[in-house]
Amino acid sequence: MASPDSKPVVAVVTGASRGAGRGIAEALGSQGATVYVTGRSRSASDSPYGGTVAETAALVDAAGGTGVPMVVDHGDDQAVQNLFAAIGQEHGRLDILVNNAANFAGAPVPGGFWEMPLERADLLTVGLRSHYVASYFAAPLLIANGRGLIANTGHYGAVSYHQGPAYGAQKAGADKMAADMAKELRPYNVAAVSIWMGGLDTERARAYIASLPPQDRPTAKRESPQFTGRVIAALYSSPELAALSGRALIGAELGSLLSVTDIDGSTPRSMRHVLGGPPEPHPSLLG
């Protein structure tokens, strides 16, 4: 995986202190990328699930890339602008932006949205608006590179019920945002997609599963957080990148198309038949 000028890829992965973002950053590092790792966690005690941007950056280094830890609150537009200004000053370009930062307000609990803390709507700020802001400041650097990719981390909850209205709106909104951005970026050879992840083996997921009664714990194999990063790396290098731009893509299906396996050699399964699939883009988005 390399930039158009054969230099190492420069990537940003937001929300990468732990979970999906950490795995994606590590996978990009394994392809030799310089990965700017963003998140709010300076100390492992900042989250009940542990993890820091410095720890993730060290994993990127160990995988063969160059990790750059950046403590960034993606609810602070000025901090995000400063991040991309620093990348512009250091590299003058950007290959890949992965929008993954999201403000989740706790584990799923029974009840209607009106019975939940109003803070659950914060996911529409850091999780949707934050995707727009990061893309806004990244776009000039992606264009300057001559080739680029914006990848939003998505989920089947964009079309099926999962964790309530705020979650569904965030995922559906991120899909449509990628489609519209792809339309406007197409003349500049910059792609934008949303990649639907399956059930992930993350710190948060393990804690939630452990809290369930033994008979209620799911037993299905879960995707590694690194799998989506492997798929993003393969997509960026693929001649199909432009053709797939603007689409919401199921990661398991895209991995199959691009011959990508998980870290243990397994092939994650698409859940399209159970949870639904992305809608076909309107022709106005593809021209």
Side-chain angles (χ1 to χ4, degrees):
M1 186 175 66
S3 280
D5 57 4
S6 297
K7 293 180 180 178
V9 162
V10 179
V12 173
V13 182
T14 75
S17 298
R18 63 194 66 84
R22 169 174 283 198
I24 291 167
E26 184 179 1
L28 293 175
S30 73
Q31 299 297 309
T34 295
V35 186
Y36 284 77
V37 176
T38 79
R40 292 181 296 171
S41 296
R42 295 179 184 273
S43 167
S45 62
D46 289 342
S47 166
Y49 307 108
T52 69
V53 291
E55 290 173 5
T56 301
L59 289 173
V60 172
D61 291 343
T66 301
V68 184
M70 302 289 285
V71 177
V72 176
D73 179 354
H74 280 272
D76 181 342
D77 294 353
Q78 187 61 58
V80 178
Q81 182 176 8
N82 292 345
L83 164 70
F84 288 99
I87 295 170
Q89 186 171 13
E90 180 69 21
H91 301 282
R93 62 186 179 86
L94 181 67
D95 291 88
I96 298 171
L97 167 63
V98 181
N99 283 316
N100 178 68
N103 190 354
F104 289 106
V109 294
F113 70 89
W114 62 94
E115 300 171 296
M116 301 296 118
L118 189 56
E119 287 75 20
R120 286 189 181 267
D122 292 346
L123 183 58
L124 303 178
T125 302
V126 177
L128 187 57
R129 185 183 185 277
S130 59
H131 288 9
Y132 186 98
V133 173
S135 301
Y136 177 90
F137 290 116
L141 295 174
L142 293 162
I143 292 168
N145 193 52
R147 176 181 174 85
L149 171 62
I150 297 172
N152 296 339
T153 54
H155 188 264
Y156 299 90
V159 297
S160 58
Y161 183 81
H162 189 77
Q163 297 190 22
Y167 187 92
Q170 187 261 333
K171 293 305 180 188
D175 288 357
K176 184 56 163 59
M177 188 181 292
D180 287 345
M181 287 182 176
K183 167 80 172 181
E184 298 180 5
L185 288 167
R186 191 163 286 116
Y188 305 98
N189 199 31
V190 176
V193 299
S194 185
I195 297 180
W196 291 12
M197 302 181 291
L200 300 183
D201 182 24
T202 64
E203 304 89 344
R204 185 187 298 269
R206 287 187 216 119
Y208 174 65
I209 292 170
S211 74
L212 298 173
Q215 68 273 15
D216 293 338
R217 294 173 186 170
T219 58
K221 189 178 188 321
R222 303 180 76 82
E223 291 178 12
S224 77
Q226 293 92 330
F227 175 69
T228 301
R230 289 181 162 207
V231 170
I232 290 170
L235 177 61
Y236 186 64
S237 300
S238 172
E240 300 300 317
L241 178 61
L244 293 171
S245 185
R247 294 181 176 273
L249 303 160
I250 294 173
E253 295 177 2
L254 184 58
S256 179
L257 176 68
L258 300 175
S259 300
V260 176
T261 59
D262 210 336
I263 56 174
D264 62 356
S266 64
T267 302
R269 294 177 57 192
S270 170
M271 297 301 292
R272 177 190 291 270
H273 63 294
V274 176
L275 298 175
E280 188 67 19
H282 188 270
S284 66
L285 291 166
L286 301 177

